[in-house]
Amino acid sequence: IIWLGMAFTAEYAVAAACYVALGMKGGKPQSNAGAALSRIVPMLREGRFMIASGLTVIVYSKIDALTVGRLFSREDLANYALATAVVGALAAVGMSMAQAQAPVLARAHAGERSRYLVLFRQFLMLMAGTSVGLATLTWLVAPVVVQALAPQYESAASVMRILVWAVVPVYLGVAT
């Protein structure tokens, strides 16, 4: 489990290095790869809490699945796996929203504090509203989703209706 988390983190570190290396500087593609790579250490240092949070989620979800698999039947594990896959997809939407908004917030943070606070509050409200809306919608349509994906695991709808509420703190967590 820990190796999986480390591999996931390494994959994103490499992706971030590629992103920085291909980034724009002064309107022209950046040609000095050494300068781009030298930014990785500060980026990792500044992002250490987000990295730790991501590793925690990965490890927790794997431990959770292992525990369900040990304590309950294979059918229960299948229901749980289906529900967590759907909820995980919803969580990924929130992470994508946060990544898309990060440059806007970073620019605002470098500028006037009052403007940054306004944008940050608006973003938190957007994330809260989106997460509650998606959780409510998923709770309502869970049986239909399960029927469409895997009708043989109809019990997954009940599990999904519980797990989907974890999306709210996930969205608020990635927003901060």
Side-chain angles (χ1 to χ4, degrees):
I1 296 169
I2 292 171
W3 289 111
L4 178 65
M6 291 171 69
F8 183 78
T9 302
E11 177 185 352
Y12 275 93
V14 169
C18 291
Y19 177 75
V20 170
L22 295 173
M24 301 296 279
K25 185 174 184 179
K28 297 179 182 175
Q30 192 169 335
S31 61
N32 187 349
L37 292 176
S38 69
R39 293 188 214 159
I40 290 176
V41 172
M43 180 187 67
L44 291 174
R45 189 177 304 122
E46 292 172 15
R48 67 187 176 275
F49 297 116
M50 185 65 97
I51 292 167
S53 174
L55 286 173
T56 303
V57 169
I58 291 167
V59 170
Y60 172 77
S61 67
K62 298 304 173 196
I63 290 172
D64 204 25
L66 290 172
T67 303
V68 169
R70 292 291 241 162
L71 295 177
F72 301 102
S73 70
R74 288 180 187 246
E75 184 180 335
D76 291 335
L77 179 58
N79 289 323
Y80 183 81
L82 177 60
T84 57
V86 172
V87 171
L90 292 175
V93 171
M95 290 180 212
S96 297
M97 289 172 64
Q99 288 175 345
Q101 188 67 15
V104 173
L105 290 171
R107 278 192 302 275
H109 189 266
E112 186 181 325
R113 180 169 169 76
S114 62
R115 175 74 180 137
Y116 167 72
L117 290 175
V118 167
L119 286 175
F120 185 65
R121 285 184 187 121
Q122 288 173 345
F123 181 58
L124 282 176
M125 295 303 295
L126 172 69
M127 293 298 276
T130 303
S131 64
V132 170
L134 279 175
T136 302
L137 180 63
T138 303
W139 188 87
L140 291 170
V141 300
V144 175
V145 171
V146 171
Q147 189 65 32
L149 295 175
Q152 67 273 29
Y153 298 113
E154 65 184 88
S155 297
S158 299
V159 177
M160 190 184 308
R161 283 181 157 173
I162 295 167
L163 291 178
V164 74
W165 295 103
V167 167
V168 176
V170 167
Y171 274 50
L172 295 176
V174 297
T176 57

